[in-house]
Amino acid sequence: MTIGRRLRHLRKAAGRTLSDVAEAAGISPSALSLFENGKREAKLSLLTTLAGVLGTNLGELLAMAPPSRRAALEIELERAQRSSAFKSLDIPPVKPGPRLQTEALESLVGLHRALARIQAERQATPEQARRANAELREEMRRRGNYFGEIEKVAADLLTATGYEGGPITRSVVDRLAGHLGFRLRHSADLPQSTRTVTDLANRIIYLPQPDAGQHDSRSLALNALGHVVLGHEVPQDYSEFLRQRVEINYFAASLLIPERGALSLLRKAKAAKDIAIEDLRDAYAVSYETAAHRFTNLATRHLDLSVHFMRISKAGVIYKAYENDGVQFPMDATGAIEGQRVCRYWTARVVFDRPDLSSAYQQYTDTKSGTYWCTAIVDRTAQGLFSVNVGVPYADVKWMRGRETTARSKSRCPDPTCCALPPGDLADRWEGMAWPSARVHSHLLAAMPPGVFPGVDQVEVLTFLERHSAP
Ligand SMILES: [Zn+2]
C-alpha cells in the first residue's frame, strides 16, 4: 500500500497520467490504479519496471519516505484497518479522506499502534510459542508421527522423476526441482536469519554455500520445495509457522528416505530381529539424526513399534523430542519439553561419558514409566556436542540390534533426589558458599522477533533477492 502511494506520488510529481505510465510499463491503466490504491500487490519485477519508468529504482522506491506526514498517517490507518486483527473486532473502519481532521487521524493511528503492540507481545511470548509447540507435539503423537498425505506427495514426485531406488543424490534433487519448475542456486551472501530464500517470481531457490554449515544441501533444497508442493501460504500465526516447519521437514525426510524402500529394509530387519538406525542411515546416505527421526515416522504405523526420539545438548537440554511409548520427558508448566534437562542416567546423557564417541551406545534404563532400551550416538556440530537417541519399551527390544548390552541404569526422575539435587553431604558442605553465574539462553526468554516469518529479517531477504535477480 505504501508503495502504491509512493508510485502515485512519483507519477503525479512527474505530471504523468495513469495510462501514460501503465503503457510504458506494459500493463493496463486499471491494473496500475489497483496497485496505486493498494488493492493489489505488484510483483518485484513489475515494481522494478515501474520504478524505472518513473525515473527511479526499486531500492529507492522501497526506501522512500511517504510524501508527507499526513500521507504517512493515512497510509498507516488504512493498513491498520485492513489487518485481520482489526477486522476481527468488528469496529467500523474510518475512511482516511480529506475530511478527516489530522488531529483525529493522529489519535486513531496512535490507538492502532498501541493495539498492534499489545497483540504482537501477546502472540510472541515464549509461553505462547511453547504452548503452540506442545499442541503440535500432541497431534504428532496421535498420528504416530506419520503423515500419509505427505508420503503420497513424495512418492508421486519420485515416480514422476523416474527414481528407481537407492539414495536420493543431489542430482535427483536437481531433477525434482526441475520437475517443479525451480532451479537451485548456491549463494555466499544469504541473509543471516534464513536457511534458504525462494524467489517465486523467477523460480529460483537460493541455498547457502555447501561448506557454510552442517546442513546437507539436499534437505535444505527439499525443505524449500516442500513449501511450494504442500501449498503453504504466509503463516497467520506462530502455530501455523511451526506446523509448516514440521511438514517441510517431513516432506524432505520422505524424499530422502522413501517410504517404500525404507519399509522393505526395515521389515527384513524386523524379521531378522536386527533393526538398526545405522543401516537406514547408510542405505540412504543421510545423517544419523535424519535416519532416527525417519524411523519414528514409520515404526508405529508400519512396524507396530512404539518409540521415542531425542536430540539433546551435552548439558542435557532437549532440542527435539518425540515419544509415543510413554517415556516421560521433563516438562514445564505449559507442557513444553524443549529447553528442559533430561535425567543424568538416561542413555542420551550417559553416551557423552563414553571413552569412544564414534559408535552407538546402548543401555537399558529403568524409569518411573517402565524400562526402556535406547541407542544413542554423539553428533559433533559447530554448536557443540549433541546426542541423538532412539528408544523402545522393553517389550519391543527383541526386534532391535544391540539388545544384548549389559549396560543398565536406573532413573528416579522427576523425583528431584534422583539427579536434580546434589547429595546431602555435598549440599551441607557448600551451603551458602557457591555462587555460579548462569549462561542465559536469551532465545528462550526473548519474545520471538515479530514479523510475517518469525525471526526472519524481511529487509535482508528482499534486498538479497533484489541483488540476485538484477539482470
Ligand atoms: Zn534423574
Side-chain angles (χ1 to χ4, degrees), residues 85 94 110 202:
V94 173
N202 301 298

Side-chain angles (χ1 to χ4, degrees), residues 341-346 349 410-420:
R341 199 175 274 138
V342 302
C343 180
R344 248 169 246 280
Y345 303 117
W346 283 14
R349 287 192 72 180
K410 190 170 169 59
S411 160
R412 288 179 294 109
C413 276
D415 179 346
T417 62
C418 169
C419 62

Side-chain angles (χ1 to χ4, degrees), residues 141-186:
R141 199 172 184 278
R142 278 198 304 274
R143 289 167 161 252
N145 215 15
Y146 181 81
F147 289 68
E149 57 294 359
I150 300 181
E151 298 285 358
K152 170 101 176 61
V153 171
D156 289 349
L157 264 176
L158 287 171
T159 306
T161 46
Y163 166 78
E164 282 173 348
I168 304 293
T169 58
R170 174 56 196 261
S171 80
V172 176
V173 174
D174 282 325
R175 250 192 351 258
L176 278 169
H179 174 74
L180 296 165
F182 281 87
R183 279 173 296 151
L184 306 179
R185 193 178 288 172
H186 289 275

